[in-house]
Coordinates of all heavy atoms in Angstrom, one line a residue:
V22 N 12.4 -43.2 -48.7 CA 11.4 -44.3 -49.0 C 12.1 -45.6 -48.8 O 11.6 -46.5 -48.2 CB 10.8 -44.1 -50.4 CG1 9.9 -45.3 -50.7 CG2 10.1 -42.8 -50.6
R23 N 13.4 -45.7 -49.3 CA 14.2 -46.9 -49.2 C 14.3 -47.3 -47.7 O 14.2 -48.4 -47.3 CB 15.6 -46.7 -49.9 CG 16.5 -47.8 -49.6 CD 18.0 -47.3 -49.8 NE 18.3 -46.4 -48.7 CZ 19.2 -45.4 -48.8 NH1 19.8 -45.2 -50.0 NH2 19.5 -44.7 -47.8
D24 N 14.7 -46.3 -46.9 CA 14.9 -46.6 -45.5 C 13.7 -47.0 -44.8 O 13.7 -47.8 -43.9 CB 15.7 -45.4 -44.8 CG 17.1 -45.4 -45.1 OD1 17.7 -46.4 -45.5 OD2 17.7 -44.3 -45.1
Y25 N 12.6 -46.4 -45.1 CA 11.3 -46.7 -44.5 C 11.0 -48.2 -44.8 O 10.6 -49.0 -44.0 CB 10.1 -45.9 -45.0 CG 8.8 -46.4 -44.6 CD1 8.4 -46.4 -43.3 CD2 7.9 -47.0 -45.5 CE1 7.2 -46.9 -42.9 CE2 6.7 -47.6 -45.1 CZ 6.4 -47.5 -43.8 OH 5.2 -48.1 -43.4
L26 N 11.3 -48.6 -46.1 CA 11.0 -50.0 -46.5 C 11.9 -51.0 -46.0 O 11.5 -52.1 -45.4 CB 11.0 -50.0 -48.1 CG 10.9 -51.3 -48.8 CD1 9.7 -52.2 -48.4 CD2 10.8 -51.1 -50.3
E27 N 13.2 -50.7 -46.0 CA 14.2 -51.7 -45.6 C 14.5 -51.7 -44.1 O 14.9 -52.8 -43.6 CB 15.6 -51.3 -46.2 CG 15.7 -51.4 -47.6 CD 17.2 -51.2 -48.0 OE1 18.0 -50.8 -47.2 OE2 17.5 -51.4 -49.2
G28 N 14.2 -50.6 -43.5 CA 14.8 -50.5 -42.1 C 14.0 -51.2 -41.0 O 12.9 -51.7 -41.2
G29 N 14.7 -51.2 -39.8 CA 14.0 -51.9 -38.7 C 14.1 -51.0 -37.5 O 14.4 -49.8 -37.6
T35 N 16.9 -57.6 -34.5 CA 15.9 -58.6 -34.8 C 15.7 -58.7 -36.4 O 15.5 -59.8 -36.9 CB 14.6 -58.3 -34.1 OG1 14.8 -58.4 -32.7 CG2 13.5 -59.3 -34.5
M36 N 15.8 -57.5 -37.0 CA 15.6 -57.5 -38.4 C 16.7 -58.5 -39.1 O 16.4 -59.2 -40.0 CB 15.8 -56.1 -38.9 CG 15.5 -56.0 -40.4 SD 15.6 -54.2 -40.9 CE 17.3 -54.2 -41.6
N39 N 16.1 -62.4 -37.9 CA 15.0 -63.0 -38.6 C 15.5 -63.7 -39.8 O 15.0 -64.9 -40.1 CB 14.0 -61.9 -39.2 CG 12.9 -61.5 -38.2 OD1 12.7 -62.2 -37.2 ND2 12.2 -60.5 -38.5
I40 N 16.4 -63.1 -40.6 CA 17.0 -63.8 -41.7 C 18.0 -64.9 -41.4 O 17.9 -66.0 -41.9 CB 17.6 -62.7 -42.7 CG1 16.5 -61.8 -43.2 CG2 18.4 -63.3 -43.8 CD1 16.9 -60.6 -44.0
F43 N 16.5 -68.4 -40.5 CA 16.2 -69.3 -41.6 C 17.5 -70.1 -42.0 O 17.5 -71.2 -42.4 CB 15.6 -68.5 -42.8 CG 14.1 -68.3 -42.6 CD1 13.7 -67.0 -42.2 CD2 13.2 -69.3 -42.7 CE1 12.3 -66.8 -42.0 CE2 11.8 -69.1 -42.6 CZ 11.4 -67.8 -42.2
L78 N 0.7 -62.7 -48.8 CA 1.4 -61.4 -48.7 C 1.0 -60.7 -47.3 O -0.2 -60.6 -47.0 CB 0.9 -60.5 -49.8 CG 1.5 -60.7 -51.2 CD1 1.4 -62.1 -51.7 CD2 1.1 -59.7 -52.2
S79 N 2.0 -60.3 -46.6 CA 1.8 -59.6 -45.3 C 1.4 -58.2 -45.7 O 1.7 -57.6 -46.7 CB 3.1 -59.5 -44.6 OG 3.4 -60.8 -44.0
P80 N 0.7 -57.5 -44.7 CA 0.3 -56.1 -44.9 C 1.6 -55.2 -44.8 O 2.3 -55.3 -43.9 CB -0.6 -55.8 -43.7 CG -0.2 -56.8 -42.7 CD 0.3 -58.0 -43.4
V81 N 1.6 -54.3 -45.8 CA 2.7 -53.3 -45.8 C 2.1 -52.0 -46.0 O 1.3 -51.7 -46.9 CB 3.7 -53.6 -46.9 CG1 4.7 -52.5 -47.1 CG2 4.5 -55.0 -46.7
G82 N 2.4 -51.0 -45.1 CA 1.8 -49.7 -45.2 C 2.6 -48.8 -46.2 O 3.7 -49.1 -46.6
F83 N 1.9 -47.7 -46.6 CA 2.6 -46.7 -47.5 C 3.1 -47.2 -48.8 O 4.1 -46.7 -49.3 CB 3.7 -46.0 -46.7 CG 3.2 -45.1 -45.6 CD1 3.2 -45.6 -44.3 CD2 2.9 -43.8 -45.8 CE1 2.8 -44.8 -43.2 CE2 2.4 -43.0 -44.8 CZ 2.4 -43.5 -43.5
T84 N 2.4 -48.2 -49.4 CA 2.9 -48.8 -50.6 C 2.8 -47.8 -51.8 O 3.5 -48.0 -52.8 CB 2.3 -50.1 -50.9 OG1 0.9 -49.9 -51.0 CG2 2.6 -51.2 -49.9
M86 N 3.7 -44.9 -51.9 CA 4.9 -44.1 -52.1 C 6.0 -45.0 -52.7 O 7.0 -44.4 -53.2 CB 5.3 -43.4 -50.8 CG 6.0 -44.3 -49.9 SD 6.6 -43.3 -48.5 CE 7.2 -44.6 -47.4
M87 N 5.8 -46.3 -52.7 CA 6.9 -47.2 -53.3 C 6.6 -47.2 -54.8 O 7.5 -47.3 -55.7 CB 6.8 -48.6 -52.8 CG 7.1 -48.5 -51.2 SD 6.6 -50.0 -50.4 CE 6.7 -49.4 -48.7
T107 N -3.0 -59.2 -48.0 CA -3.5 -58.6 -46.8 C -3.3 -57.1 -46.9 O -2.2 -56.6 -47.0 CB -2.7 -59.1 -45.5 OG1 -2.6 -60.6 -45.6 CG2 -3.4 -58.7 -44.2
L108 N -4.4 -56.4 -46.9 CA -4.3 -54.9 -47.0 C -4.0 -54.3 -45.7 O -4.7 -54.6 -44.7 CB -5.6 -54.4 -47.6 CG -5.7 -52.9 -47.8 CD1 -4.7 -52.3 -48.8 CD2 -7.1 -52.3 -48.1
S109 N -3.0 -53.4 -45.7 CA -2.7 -52.7 -44.5 C -3.8 -51.6 -44.2 O -4.3 -50.9 -45.1 CB -1.4 -52.0 -44.6 OG -1.1 -51.0 -43.6
S110 N -4.0 -51.3 -42.8 CA -4.8 -50.1 -42.5 C -4.2 -48.9 -43.0 O -4.8 -47.8 -43.3 CB -5.0 -50.0 -41.0 OG -6.0 -50.8 -40.5
M111 N -2.8 -48.9 -43.1 CA -2.1 -47.7 -43.6 C -1.9 -47.6 -45.0 O -0.8 -47.4 -45.6 CB -0.7 -47.7 -42.9 CG -0.7 -47.7 -41.4 SD -1.6 -46.3 -40.8 CE -1.0 -46.2 -39.1
S112 N -2.9 -47.9 -45.8 CA -2.8 -48.0 -47.2 C -3.0 -46.7 -47.9 O -3.6 -45.8 -47.3 CB -3.8 -49.1 -47.8 OG -5.2 -48.6 -47.4
Q130 N -6.0 -55.9 -42.7 CA -5.3 -55.8 -41.4 C -5.8 -54.5 -40.7 O -5.8 -53.4 -41.2 CB -3.8 -55.6 -41.7 CG -2.9 -55.4 -40.5 CD -2.7 -53.9 -40.2 OE1 -2.5 -53.1 -41.1 NE2 -2.7 -53.5 -38.9
L131 N -6.2 -54.7 -39.4 CA -6.9 -53.7 -38.7 C -5.9 -53.0 -37.7 O -5.4 -53.7 -36.8 CB -8.1 -54.2 -38.0 CG -8.9 -53.2 -37.1 CD1 -9.6 -52.2 -38.0 CD2 -9.9 -53.9 -36.2
Y132 N -5.8 -51.7 -37.8 CA -5.3 -50.9 -36.7 C -6.5 -50.1 -36.2 O -7.4 -49.7 -37.0 CB -4.3 -49.9 -37.1 CG -2.9 -50.4 -37.3 CD1 -2.1 -50.0 -38.4 CD2 -2.3 -51.3 -36.4 CE1 -0.7 -50.5 -38.5 CE2 -1.0 -51.7 -36.5 CZ -0.2 -51.3 -37.6 OH 1.1 -51.8 -37.7
V156 N -7.3 -59.2 -39.8 CA -6.0 -59.5 -39.2 C -5.7 -58.3 -38.2 O -5.6 -57.2 -38.6 CB -4.9 -59.5 -40.2 CG1 -3.5 -59.6 -39.5 CG2 -5.1 -60.6 -41.2
V157 N -5.7 -58.6 -36.9 CA -5.5 -57.5 -35.9 C -4.1 -57.6 -35.4 O -3.6 -58.5 -34.8 CB -6.5 -57.8 -34.7 CG1 -6.4 -56.6 -33.7 CG2 -7.9 -58.0 -35.2
T158 N -3.4 -56.5 -35.7 CA -2.0 -56.4 -35.4 C -1.9 -55.9 -33.9 O -2.4 -54.9 -33.5 CB -1.3 -55.4 -36.3 OG1 -1.4 -55.9 -37.7 CG2 0.2 -55.3 -36.0
L159 N -1.1 -56.7 -33.1 CA -1.0 -56.4 -31.7 C 0.3 -56.0 -31.2 O 0.5 -55.7 -30.0 CB -1.4 -57.8 -31.0 CG -2.8 -58.3 -31.3 CD1 -3.0 -59.7 -30.7 CD2 -3.8 -57.3 -30.7
D160 N 1.3 -55.8 -32.1 CA 2.7 -55.5 -31.7 C 2.9 -54.0 -31.8 O 4.2 -53.6 -31.8 CB 3.7 -56.4 -32.4 CG 3.6 -56.2 -33.9 OD1 3.0 -55.3 -34.4 OD2 4.2 -57.0 -34.6
T161 N 1.9 -53.2 -32.0 CA 2.2 -51.8 -32.3 C 1.4 -50.8 -31.4 O 0.7 -50.0 -31.9 CB 1.8 -51.6 -33.8 OG1 2.3 -52.6 -34.6 CG2 2.4 -50.3 -34.4
R167 N 12.4 -46.4 -35.2 CA 13.0 -46.5 -36.5 C 14.0 -45.4 -36.7 O 13.6 -44.3 -37.2 CB 11.9 -46.5 -37.6 CG 10.7 -47.3 -37.2 CD 10.5 -48.5 -38.0 NE 9.4 -49.3 -37.6 CZ 8.1 -49.1 -38.0 NH1 7.8 -48.3 -39.0 NH2 7.1 -49.8 -37.4
L179 N 4.3 -41.9 -38.8 CA 4.7 -41.4 -40.1 C 3.5 -40.9 -41.0 O 2.5 -41.5 -41.0 CB 5.3 -42.6 -40.9 CG 6.2 -42.3 -42.1 CD1 7.4 -41.5 -41.7 CD2 6.6 -43.6 -42.7
L212 N -2.8 -41.1 -45.9 CA -3.4 -42.4 -45.4 C -4.9 -42.3 -45.5 O -5.6 -41.7 -44.7 CB -3.0 -42.5 -43.9 CG -1.5 -42.7 -43.6 CD1 -1.2 -42.5 -42.1 CD2 -1.1 -44.0 -44.1
W234 N -5.7 -43.9 -32.3 CA -5.0 -45.2 -32.5 C -4.0 -45.5 -31.5 O -4.0 -46.5 -30.8 CB -4.4 -45.3 -33.9 CG -3.5 -46.4 -34.2 CD1 -3.7 -47.7 -33.9 CD2 -2.2 -46.3 -34.8 NE1 -2.6 -48.4 -34.2 CE2 -1.7 -47.6 -34.8 CE3 -1.4 -45.3 -35.3 CZ2 -0.4 -47.9 -35.4 CZ3 -0.2 -45.6 -35.9 CH2 0.3 -46.9 -35.9
K258 N -2.1 -60.9 -35.1 CA -0.8 -60.8 -35.7 C 0.2 -60.1 -34.8 O -0.2 -59.1 -34.1 CB -0.9 -60.0 -37.0 CG 0.5 -59.6 -37.7 CD 0.4 -59.0 -39.0 CE 1.6 -58.7 -39.7 NZ 2.3 -57.5 -39.4
G259 N 1.4 -60.7 -34.6 CA 2.4 -60.1 -33.9 C 2.7 -60.7 -32.5 O 3.2 -60.1 -31.6
I278 N -0.7 -65.1 -36.4 CA 0.6 -64.8 -37.2 C 1.7 -64.5 -36.2 O 1.7 -63.5 -35.5 CB 0.3 -63.7 -38.1 CG1 -0.9 -63.9 -39.0 CG2 1.6 -63.5 -39.0 CD1 -1.2 -62.7 -39.9
V279 N 2.6 -65.5 -36.1 CA 3.9 -65.2 -35.3 C 4.7 -64.2 -36.1 O 5.0 -64.4 -37.3 CB 4.7 -66.6 -35.2 CG1 6.0 -66.3 -34.5 CG2 3.8 -67.6 -34.4
S280 N 4.9 -63.1 -35.5 CA 5.6 -62.0 -36.2 C 6.2 -61.0 -35.2 O 5.6 -60.8 -34.1 CB 4.5 -61.3 -37.0 OG 5.0 -60.1 -37.6
N281 N 7.3 -60.4 -35.6 CA 7.9 -59.3 -34.9 C 7.9 -58.1 -35.8 O 8.7 -57.2 -35.6 CB 9.3 -59.7 -34.3 CG 10.2 -60.2 -35.4 OD1 10.1 -59.8 -36.6 ND2 11.0 -61.2 -35.0
H282 N 7.0 -58.1 -36.7 CA 6.8 -56.9 -37.6 C 8.0 -56.7 -38.5 O 8.4 -55.5 -38.8 CB 6.5 -55.7 -36.7 CG 5.5 -54.7 -37.3 ND1 4.2 -54.6 -36.8 CD2 5.5 -53.8 -38.3 CE1 3.6 -53.6 -37.5 NE2 4.3 -53.2 -38.4
G283 N 8.7 -57.8 -38.8 CA 9.9 -57.7 -39.6 C 11.0 -56.9 -38.9 O 11.9 -56.2 -39.5
G284 N 11.0 -57.0 -37.5 CA 12.1 -56.3 -36.7 C 11.9 -54.8 -36.7 O 12.8 -54.0 -36.5
R285 N 10.6 -54.4 -36.9 CA 10.4 -52.9 -36.9 C 9.7 -52.4 -35.6 O 9.4 -51.2 -35.5 CB 9.4 -52.6 -38.1 CG 10.1 -53.0 -39.4 CD 9.0 -53.0 -40.5 NE 8.5 -51.8 -40.9 CZ 9.1 -50.9 -41.8 NH1 10.2 -51.2 -42.3 NH2 8.5 -49.8 -42.1
Q286 N 9.4 -53.3 -34.7 CA 8.8 -52.8 -33.4 C 9.8 -53.0 -32.3 O 10.7 -52.3 -32.2 CB 7.4 -53.6 -33.3 CG 6.4 -53.0 -34.2 CD 6.1 -51.6 -34.0 OE1 6.5 -50.7 -34.8 NE2 5.6 -51.2 -32.9
S293 N 11.5 -64.5 -35.7 CA 10.1 -65.1 -35.7 C 10.1 -66.7 -36.0 O 9.3 -67.4 -35.5 CB 9.2 -64.5 -36.7 OG 9.9 -64.1 -37.9
I312 N 3.4 -67.4 -40.1 CA 4.6 -66.7 -39.7 C 5.0 -65.7 -40.7 O 4.9 -66.0 -41.9 CB 5.7 -67.7 -39.4 CG1 7.0 -67.0 -39.0 CG2 6.0 -68.6 -40.6 CD1 8.2 -67.8 -38.8
D313 N 5.5 -64.5 -40.2 CA 6.3 -63.7 -41.2 C 7.5 -63.1 -40.5 O 7.6 -63.3 -39.3 CB 5.4 -62.7 -41.8 CG 5.1 -61.5 -40.9 OD1 5.7 -61.3 -39.9 OD2 4.1 -60.7 -41.3
G314 N 8.4 -62.6 -41.3 CA 9.6 -62.0 -40.8 C 10.9 -62.8 -41.4 O 11.2 -63.9 -41.0
G315 N 11.5 -62.2 -42.4 CA 12.7 -62.8 -42.9 C 12.6 -63.7 -44.1 O 13.6 -64.3 -44.6
V316 N 11.4 -63.9 -44.6 CA 11.2 -64.8 -45.8 C 11.7 -64.1 -47.0 O 11.2 -63.1 -47.4 CB 9.7 -65.1 -45.9 CG1 9.5 -65.9 -47.2 CG2 9.2 -65.9 -44.7
R317 N 12.8 -64.7 -47.5 CA 13.4 -64.1 -48.8 C 13.5 -65.2 -49.9 O 13.9 -64.9 -51.0 CB 14.8 -63.6 -48.5 CG 14.8 -62.5 -47.4 CD 14.2 -61.1 -48.0 NE 14.3 -60.1 -47.0 CZ 13.4 -59.9 -45.9 NH1 12.3 -60.7 -45.8 NH2 13.6 -58.9 -45.1
M334 N 4.3 -65.9 -44.6 CA 3.9 -64.6 -45.2 C 5.2 -63.8 -45.5 O 6.2 -63.9 -44.8 CB 3.0 -63.9 -44.4 CG 1.7 -64.7 -44.0 SD 0.6 -63.8 -42.9 CE -0.2 -62.6 -44.0
A335 N 5.1 -63.0 -46.5 CA 6.3 -62.1 -46.8 C 5.8 -60.7 -46.9 O 4.8 -60.4 -47.4 CB 6.9 -62.5 -48.1
G336 N 6.7 -59.8 -46.3 CA 6.3 -58.3 -46.4 C 7.3 -57.7 -47.4 O 7.0 -57.4 -48.5
R337 N 8.6 -57.5 -46.9 CA 9.5 -56.8 -47.7 C 9.7 -57.4 -49.1 O 9.9 -56.7 -50.1 CB 10.8 -56.6 -47.0 CG 10.8 -55.7 -45.8 CD 12.2 -55.4 -45.3 NE 12.2 -54.7 -44.1 CZ 12.0 -55.1 -42.8 NH1 11.7 -56.4 -42.7 NH2 12.1 -54.3 -41.8
A338 N 9.7 -58.7 -49.2 CA 10.0 -59.4 -50.4 C 9.1 -58.9 -51.6 O 9.6 -58.5 -52.6 CB 9.8 -60.9 -50.3
W339 N 7.8 -58.8 -51.3 CA 6.9 -58.4 -52.4 C 7.0 -56.8 -52.5 O 6.9 -56.3 -53.6 CB 5.4 -58.8 -52.2 CG 4.6 -58.2 -51.2 CD1 4.3 -58.8 -50.0 CD2 3.9 -57.0 -51.2 NE1 3.4 -58.0 -49.2 CE2 3.2 -56.8 -50.0 CE3 3.8 -55.9 -52.1 CZ2 2.4 -55.8 -49.7 CZ3 3.0 -54.8 -51.8 CH2 2.3 -54.7 -50.6
A340 N 7.2 -56.1 -51.4 CA 7.3 -54.7 -51.5 C 8.6 -54.2 -52.2 O 8.6 -53.2 -53.0 CB 7.3 -54.1 -50.1
Y341 N 9.6 -55.0 -52.1 CA 10.9 -54.7 -52.9 C 10.5 -54.8 -54.4 O 10.9 -54.0 -55.3 CB 12.0 -55.7 -52.6 CG 12.7 -55.5 -51.3 CD1 13.3 -56.6 -50.6 CD2 12.7 -54.2 -50.6 CE1 13.9 -56.4 -49.4 CE2 13.4 -54.1 -49.4 CZ 13.9 -55.1 -48.8 OH 14.5 -55.0 -47.6
Ligands
LIG1 C1 7.4 -51.0 -45.1 C2 6.6 -51.9 -44.1 C3 5.4 -51.5 -43.7 C4 4.7 -52.3 -42.9 N1 3.4 -51.9 -42.5 C5 2.6 -52.7 -41.7 C6 1.3 -52.4 -41.4 O1 0.8 -51.3 -41.8 N2 0.6 -53.2 -40.6 C7 1.1 -54.4 -40.2 O2 0.5 -55.1 -39.4 N3 2.4 -54.7 -40.5 C8 3.2 -54.0 -41.2 N4 4.4 -54.3 -41.6 C9 4.9 -55.6 -41.1 C10 4.6 -56.7 -42.1 O3 3.3 -57.0 -42.1 C11 5.4 -58.0 -41.8 O4 5.2 -58.4 -40.4 C12 6.9 -57.9 -42.0 O5 7.2 -57.1 -43.1 C13 7.5 -59.3 -42.1 O6 8.9 -59.2 -42.3 P1 9.6 -59.2 -43.7 O7 9.5 -57.8 -44.2 O8 11.0 -59.6 -43.3 O9 8.9 -60.2 -44.6 C14 5.2 -53.5 -42.4 C15 6.4 -53.9 -42.9 C16 7.2 -53.2 -43.7 C17 8.5 -53.6 -44.2

Side-chain angles (χ1 to χ4, degrees):
V22 178
R23 174 202 66 211
D24 281 336
Y25 170 70
L26 171 54
E27 288 189 354
T35 297
M36 188 177 96
N39 270 349
I40 292 175
F43 280 102
L78 277 64
S79 285
V81 172
F83 290 94
T84 54
M86 77 177 176
M87 298 164 198
T107 313
L108 177 67
S109 162
S110 274
M111 301 300 200
S112 59
Q130 178 266 321
L131 179 70
Y132 279 139
V156 175
V157 186
T158 300
L159 299 171
D160 58 14
T161 316
R167 318 248 175 93
L179 196 64
L212 293 170
W234 165 47
K258 174 173 185 273
I278 304 174
V279 175
S280 172
N281 49 39
H282 218 108
R285 298 163 72 82
Q286 285 301 110
S293 40
I312 178 183
D313 74 16
V316 172
R317 301 290 184 274
M334 303 178 73
R337 291 187 185 82
W339 72 258
Y341 288 151

